[in-house]
Amino acid sequence: MARASIVQDYEHPQPGTSSTLTIDEKVQREILKNGIVKPKGYTVSWHANPEVEKHHFGQSHPMKPWRLTLTKQLVMAYGMHQAMDLYLARAATDEEMAEFHKGDYLKFLQRVTPANMSVPDLQQHSLQYNIGDDCPIFDGLYDYCSLYAGATVDAARKLCNNQSEIAINWSGGLHHAKKSEASGFCYINDIVLGILQLLRYHPRVLYIDIDVHHGDGVEQAFWSSDRVMTLSFHKYDKDNFFPGTGPLSSTGPTNPLNPGAHHSLNVPLNDGIEDSDYIALFKAIVGPCVSTYRPTAVVLQCGADSLGCDRLGCFNLNIRAHGECVSFVKALNLPLLVLGGGGYTPRNVARLWAYETSICVDAELNESLPAHTPFLNHFAPDKTLFPPLSEHGRYENRNSKQYLEGLVQGVTEQLRYLKGAPSVQMQHIPPDLQGIREEVEKEIREERGEKDEMFRKDGERGAGMRGELVY
């Protein structure tokens, strides 16, 4: 089905054309019904740019940026935008992205288009940079990358500046991109860029990944650093499941003198894990990691492809179980950067991320989706926030109790090597990750001292025109 027939502008009712309530009034009723207010004692910020939603990987490609449109419309329909500070994200600059990615790779992404990709020079570089079916060239590619990366950079800065305690960017979380290589639908690793921002202020950052695929790009970036602990829960099959990395035995550099030794933790799962097992495993591992490593900030990648019924997934998780992981991390009361990631059944991605937004703002949502939600038919036939995903297309659970206990034991064993980690001298970021430049530091200082002018909205009442958030 062509994209134009799926994503359409929502026409706001004109005064006098209907005797029914306006969209604004319906949203206000939903806000009252669900008791949505700004959280007390902490601030949640939402970072997005609607231009990201307009990009298109190709008709048959699993990655659909318009899943962000569905997510946004659910958030707006419930009225959760009133509980957050809203920021219109700017594009990340070349310099900001060059803090991790190589300049030649960035220049290639800037130059290449569907019209010129057959030019011999660019064609050769396409092979070098792993451009192909998974990571195609499409119109506006560089704008797309810089916008989702800019939202993550901005969200991280809001945490550093104490302008937010929880910062959300559902367009981010693209964890496979490497320093000079696209991978797994990911071109720019916004997560690495966000963590680099956090490291300017925070001595230790814990990165948690609950995507069904291994967070290999982030792990690789901080492989030799003790200032970042990476913890990935994922399906692992070396030969048959992308990216084929992340066994339990992969825990960082093998040289014990390397600062990054034992700071890359992996929880490799088999097909079909169930809600209760996943939640118990997550808590049994994340809790000790936090108490041992003592992070001062957390980055949580909430890939939705770990849900049941995902086009590319193989787990049996329901939306509430996935959200329970977010609740557990939120309860740590540490600065939290919440990002998106995978997720290839858009209606379920939207349900999940709307629900996890509600967890962040401490709201209890009605299970029935608001009747005024644009594109409501995409959530048919049940039109509920919590469809029984584990009952459809179910995978056999190949994770025995003994196997799961072995995972907990394996991670616990690795944590023993970190004895005294919170008090040991933290090494600085490896030279290729430094990227600390005077102009960026100046910008951060200016953000701390001046009123933010990036379209921040406090107590916005409007539900938007033509299907967009009013920034």
Side-chain angles (χ1 to χ4, degrees), residues 283-306:
K283 294 180 177 180
I285 288 177
V286 172
C289 285
V290 171
S291 60
T292 301
Y293 185 61
R294 304 275 182 90
T296 55
V298 178
V299 177
L300 179 60
Q301 196 267 21
C302 301
D305 48 7
S306 47

PDB file of all heavy atoms in Angstrom, residues 283-306:
ATOM      1  N   LYS A 283      14.700  -7.438  36.166  1.00  0.00           N
ATOM      2  CA  LYS A 283      14.908  -6.890  37.510  1.00  0.00           C
ATOM      3  C   LYS A 283      16.079  -7.566  38.217  1.00  0.00           C
ATOM      4  O   LYS A 283      16.840  -6.899  38.940  1.00  0.00           O
ATOM      5  CB  LYS A 283      13.628  -7.037  38.328  1.00  0.00           C
ATOM      6  CG  LYS A 283      12.471  -6.195  37.806  1.00  0.00           C
ATOM      7  CD  LYS A 283      11.219  -6.369  38.651  1.00  0.00           C
ATOM      8  CE  LYS A 283      10.094  -5.474  38.159  1.00  0.00           C
ATOM      9  NZ  LYS A 283       8.851  -5.625  38.961  1.00  0.00           N
ATOM     10  N   ALA A 284      16.230  -8.881  38.005  1.00  0.00           N
ATOM     11  CA  ALA A 284      17.304  -9.614  38.677  1.00  0.00           C
ATOM     12  C   ALA A 284      18.680  -9.205  38.176  1.00  0.00           C
ATOM     13  O   ALA A 284      19.679  -9.376  38.882  1.00  0.00           O
ATOM     14  CB  ALA A 284      17.109 -11.118  38.467  1.00  0.00           C
ATOM     15  N   ILE A 285      18.741  -8.638  36.973  1.00  0.00           N
ATOM     16  CA  ILE A 285      20.025  -8.235  36.409  1.00  0.00           C
ATOM     17  C   ILE A 285      20.256  -6.731  36.536  1.00  0.00           C
ATOM     18  O   ILE A 285      21.340  -6.290  36.932  1.00  0.00           O
ATOM     19  CB  ILE A 285      20.118  -8.691  34.941  1.00  0.00           C
ATOM     20  CG1 ILE A 285      20.289 -10.215  34.883  1.00  0.00           C
ATOM     21  CG2 ILE A 285      21.265  -8.001  34.223  1.00  0.00           C
ATOM     22  CD1 ILE A 285      20.327 -10.792  33.493  1.00  0.00           C
ATOM     23  N   VAL A 286      19.248  -5.927  36.221  1.00  0.00           N
ATOM     24  CA  VAL A 286      19.428  -4.472  36.267  1.00  0.00           C
ATOM     25  C   VAL A 286      19.695  -4.000  37.698  1.00  0.00           C
ATOM     26  O   VAL A 286      20.563  -3.140  37.930  1.00  0.00           O
ATOM     27  CB  VAL A 286      18.208  -3.752  35.677  1.00  0.00           C
ATOM     28  CG1 VAL A 286      18.307  -2.246  35.917  1.00  0.00           C
ATOM     29  CG2 VAL A 286      18.100  -4.041  34.184  1.00  0.00           C
ATOM     30  N   GLY A 287      18.975  -4.567  38.669  1.00  0.00           N
ATOM     31  CA  GLY A 287      19.178  -4.154  40.062  1.00  0.00           C
ATOM     32  C   GLY A 287      20.621  -4.272  40.510  1.00  0.00           C
ATOM     33  O   GLY A 287      21.219  -3.277  40.972  1.00  0.00           O
ATOM     34  N   PRO A 288      21.253  -5.437  40.405  1.00  0.00           N
ATOM     35  CA  PRO A 288      22.656  -5.581  40.795  1.00  0.00           C
ATOM     36  C   PRO A 288      23.603  -4.714  39.964  1.00  0.00           C
ATOM     37  O   PRO A 288      24.623  -4.224  40.487  1.00  0.00           O
ATOM     38  CB  PRO A 288      22.931  -7.071  40.569  1.00  0.00           C
ATOM     39  CG  PRO A 288      21.600  -7.727  40.726  1.00  0.00           C
ATOM     40  CD  PRO A 288      20.623  -6.749  40.145  1.00  0.00           C
ATOM     41  N   CYS A 289      23.298  -4.519  38.682  1.00  0.00           N
ATOM     42  CA  CYS A 289      24.150  -3.651  37.858  1.00  0.00           C
ATOM     43  C   CYS A 289      24.166  -2.223  38.406  1.00  0.00           C
ATOM     44  O   CYS A 289      25.213  -1.577  38.477  1.00  0.00           O
ATOM     45  CB  CYS A 289      23.665  -3.650  36.409  1.00  0.00           C
ATOM     46  SG  CYS A 289      24.054  -5.149  35.485  1.00  0.00           S
ATOM     47  N   VAL A 290      22.998  -1.746  38.799  1.00  0.00           N
ATOM     48  CA  VAL A 290      22.902  -0.390  39.333  1.00  0.00           C
ATOM     49  C   VAL A 290      23.599  -0.286  40.687  1.00  0.00           C
ATOM     50  O   VAL A 290      24.368   0.654  40.944  1.00  0.00           O
ATOM     51  CB  VAL A 290      21.425   0.040  39.447  1.00  0.00           C
ATOM     52  CG1 VAL A 290      21.302   1.361  40.209  1.00  0.00           C
ATOM     53  CG2 VAL A 290      20.803   0.158  38.062  1.00  0.00           C
ATOM     54  N   SER A 291      23.365  -1.251  41.566  1.00  0.00           N
ATOM     55  CA  SER A 291      23.963  -1.184  42.902  1.00  0.00           C
ATOM     56  C   SER A 291      25.478  -1.359  42.855  1.00  0.00           C
ATOM     57  O   SER A 291      26.190  -0.822  43.706  1.00  0.00           O
ATOM     58  CB  SER A 291      23.340  -2.240  43.815  1.00  0.00           C
ATOM     59  OG  SER A 291      23.544  -3.539  43.290  1.00  0.00           O
ATOM     60  N   THR A 292      25.977  -2.083  41.860  1.00  0.00           N
ATOM     61  CA  THR A 292      27.416  -2.301  41.757  1.00  0.00           C
ATOM     62  C   THR A 292      28.107  -1.159  41.024  1.00  0.00           C
ATOM     63  O   THR A 292      29.131  -0.640  41.477  1.00  0.00           O
ATOM     64  CB  THR A 292      27.710  -3.625  41.018  1.00  0.00           C
ATOM     65  OG1 THR A 292      27.106  -4.699  41.732  1.00  0.00           O
ATOM     66  CG2 THR A 292      29.212  -3.874  40.919  1.00  0.00           C
ATOM     67  N   TYR A 293      27.553  -0.767  39.896  1.00  0.00           N
ATOM     68  CA  TYR A 293      28.204   0.241  39.058  1.00  0.00           C
ATOM     69  C   TYR A 293      27.923   1.666  39.516  1.00  0.00           C
ATOM     70  O   TYR A 293      28.715   2.576  39.275  1.00  0.00           O
ATOM     71  CB  TYR A 293      27.746   0.049  37.602  1.00  0.00           C
ATOM     72  CG  TYR A 293      28.440   0.940  36.615  1.00  0.00           C
ATOM     73  CD1 TYR A 293      29.823   0.879  36.434  1.00  0.00           C
ATOM     74  CD2 TYR A 293      27.715   1.843  35.838  1.00  0.00           C
ATOM     75  CE1 TYR A 293      30.449   1.698  35.504  1.00  0.00           C
ATOM     76  CE2 TYR A 293      28.329   2.656  34.902  1.00  0.00           C
ATOM     77  CZ  TYR A 293      29.705   2.575  34.744  1.00  0.00           C
ATOM     78  OH  TYR A 293      30.331   3.391  33.829  1.00  0.00           O
ATOM     79  N   ARG A 294      26.815   1.880  40.178  1.00  0.00           N
ATOM     80  CA  ARG A 294      26.399   3.198  40.675  1.00  0.00           C
ATOM     81  C   ARG A 294      26.386   4.274  39.579  1.00  0.00           C
ATOM     82  O   ARG A 294      27.098   5.286  39.684  1.00  0.00           O
ATOM     83  CB  ARG A 294      27.315   3.650  41.813  1.00  0.00           C
ATOM     84  CG  ARG A 294      27.407   2.691  42.984  1.00  0.00           C
ATOM     85  CD  ARG A 294      26.277   2.891  43.983  1.00  0.00           C
ATOM     86  NE  ARG A 294      26.421   1.997  45.097  1.00  0.00           N
ATOM     87  CZ  ARG A 294      27.101   2.274  46.210  1.00  0.00           C
ATOM     88  NH1 ARG A 294      27.699   3.449  46.315  1.00  0.00           N
ATOM     89  NH2 ARG A 294      27.176   1.401  47.184  1.00  0.00           N
ATOM     90  N   PRO A 295      25.608   4.091  38.538  1.00  0.00           N
ATOM     91  CA  PRO A 295      25.563   5.120  37.493  1.00  0.00           C
ATOM     92  C   PRO A 295      24.933   6.397  38.024  1.00  0.00           C
ATOM     93  O   PRO A 295      24.138   6.373  38.971  1.00  0.00           O
ATOM     94  CB  PRO A 295      24.671   4.484  36.420  1.00  0.00           C
ATOM     95  CG  PRO A 295      23.767   3.574  37.196  1.00  0.00           C
ATOM     96  CD  PRO A 295      24.623   3.018  38.307  1.00  0.00           C
ATOM     97  N   THR A 296      25.272   7.503  37.397  1.00  0.00           N
ATOM     98  CA  THR A 296      24.651   8.778  37.764  1.00  0.00           C
ATOM     99  C   THR A 296      23.622   9.218  36.726  1.00  0.00           C
ATOM    100  O   THR A 296      22.954  10.232  36.907  1.00  0.00           O
ATOM    101  CB  THR A 296      25.710   9.876  37.944  1.00  0.00           C
ATOM    102  OG1 THR A 296      26.503   9.968  36.753  1.00  0.00           O
ATOM    103  CG2 THR A 296      26.620   9.546  39.123  1.00  0.00           C
ATOM    104  N   ALA A 297      23.506   8.468  35.644  1.00  0.00           N
ATOM    105  CA  ALA A 297      22.469   8.693  34.630  1.00  0.00           C
ATOM    106  C   ALA A 297      22.244   7.377  33.898  1.00  0.00           C
ATOM    107  O   ALA A 297      23.133   6.521  33.840  1.00  0.00           O
ATOM    108  CB  ALA A 297      22.886   9.785  33.646  1.00  0.00           C
ATOM    109  N   VAL A 298      21.041   7.233  33.343  1.00  0.00           N
ATOM    110  CA  VAL A 298      20.674   6.011  32.623  1.00  0.00           C
ATOM    111  C   VAL A 298      20.119   6.379  31.257  1.00  0.00           C
ATOM    112  O   VAL A 298      19.349   7.345  31.117  1.00  0.00           O
ATOM    113  CB  VAL A 298      19.615   5.196  33.398  1.00  0.00           C
ATOM    114  CG1 VAL A 298      19.204   3.947  32.608  1.00  0.00           C
ATOM    115  CG2 VAL A 298      20.131   4.802  34.776  1.00  0.00           C
ATOM    116  N   VAL A 299      20.511   5.619  30.251  1.00  0.00           N
ATOM    117  CA  VAL A 299      19.928   5.726  28.912  1.00  0.00           C
ATOM    118  C   VAL A 299      19.207   4.412  28.644  1.00  0.00           C
ATOM    119  O   VAL A 299      19.804   3.336  28.756  1.00  0.00           O
ATOM    120  CB  VAL A 299      21.007   5.974  27.839  1.00  0.00           C
ATOM    121  CG1 VAL A 299      20.371   6.004  26.449  1.00  0.00           C
ATOM    122  CG2 VAL A 299      21.758   7.275  28.124  1.00  0.00           C
ATOM    123  N   LEU A 300      17.924   4.494  28.315  1.00  0.00           N
ATOM    124  CA  LEU A 300      17.108   3.297  28.102  1.00  0.00           C
ATOM    125  C   LEU A 300      16.603   3.277  26.666  1.00  0.00           C
ATOM    126  O   LEU A 300      15.831   4.149  26.248  1.00  0.00           O
ATOM    127  CB  LEU A 300      15.929   3.283  29.080  1.00  0.00           C
ATOM    128  CG  LEU A 300      14.951   2.109  28.977  1.00  0.00           C
ATOM    129  CD1 LEU A 300      15.661   0.779  29.204  1.00  0.00           C
ATOM    130  CD2 LEU A 300      13.813   2.280  29.982  1.00  0.00           C
ATOM    131  N   GLN A 301      17.045   2.273  25.895  1.00  0.00           N
ATOM    132  CA  GLN A 301      16.587   2.087  24.532  1.00  0.00           C
ATOM    133  C   GLN A 301      15.404   1.134  24.561  1.00  0.00           C
ATOM    134  O   GLN A 301      15.532  -0.006  24.988  1.00  0.00           O
ATOM    135  CB  GLN A 301      17.738   1.541  23.658  1.00  0.00           C
ATOM    136  CG  GLN A 301      17.514   1.659  22.159  1.00  0.00           C
ATOM    137  CD  GLN A 301      16.896   0.416  21.531  1.00  0.00           C
ATOM    138  OE1 GLN A 301      16.277  -0.392  22.215  1.00  0.00           O
ATOM    139  NE2 GLN A 301      17.056   0.256  20.231  1.00  0.00           N
ATOM    140  N   CYS A 302      14.233   1.617  24.113  1.00  0.00           N
ATOM    141  CA  CYS A 302      12.981   0.869  24.247  1.00  0.00           C
ATOM    142  C   CYS A 302      12.511   0.306  22.912  1.00  0.00           C
ATOM    143  O   CYS A 302      11.366   0.535  22.497  1.00  0.00           O
ATOM    144  CB  CYS A 302      11.904   1.771  24.846  1.00  0.00           C
ATOM    145  SG  CYS A 302      12.305   2.452  26.461  1.00  0.00           S
ATOM    146  N   GLY A 303      13.366  -0.422  22.233  1.00  0.00           N
ATOM    147  CA  GLY A 303      12.979  -1.015  20.960  1.00  0.00           C
ATOM    148  C   GLY A 303      11.703  -1.828  21.093  1.00  0.00           C
ATOM    149  O   GLY A 303      11.588  -2.688  21.970  1.00  0.00           O
ATOM    150  N   ALA A 304      10.732  -1.563  20.209  1.00  0.00           N
ATOM    151  CA  ALA A 304       9.419  -2.215  20.294  1.00  0.00           C
ATOM    152  C   ALA A 304       9.375  -3.538  19.540  1.00  0.00           C
ATOM    153  O   ALA A 304       8.339  -4.214  19.560  1.00  0.00           O
ATOM    154  CB  ALA A 304       8.341  -1.269  19.750  1.00  0.00           C
ATOM    155  N   ASP A 305      10.462  -3.923  18.903  1.00  0.00           N
ATOM    156  CA  ASP A 305      10.460  -5.196  18.183  1.00  0.00           C
ATOM    157  C   ASP A 305      10.600  -6.390  19.117  1.00  0.00           C
ATOM    158  O   ASP A 305      10.543  -7.541  18.679  1.00  0.00           O
ATOM    159  CB  ASP A 305      11.543  -5.231  17.102  1.00  0.00           C
ATOM    160  CG  ASP A 305      12.901  -4.773  17.591  1.00  0.00           C
ATOM    161  OD1 ASP A 305      13.051  -4.551  18.808  1.00  0.00           O
ATOM    162  OD2 ASP A 305      13.816  -4.639  16.754  1.00  0.00           O
ATOM    163  N   SER A 306      10.760  -6.139  20.413  1.00  0.00           N
ATOM    164  CA  SER A 306      10.755  -7.230  21.389  1.00  0.00           C
ATOM    165  C   SER A 306       9.325  -7.604  21.800  1.00  0.00           C
ATOM    166  O   SER A 306       9.124  -8.542  22.570  1.00  0.00           O
ATOM    167  CB  SER A 306      11.589  -6.871  22.618  1.00  0.00           C
ATOM    168  OG  SER A 306      11.289  -5.577  23.087  1.00  0.00           O
TER     169      SER A 306
END
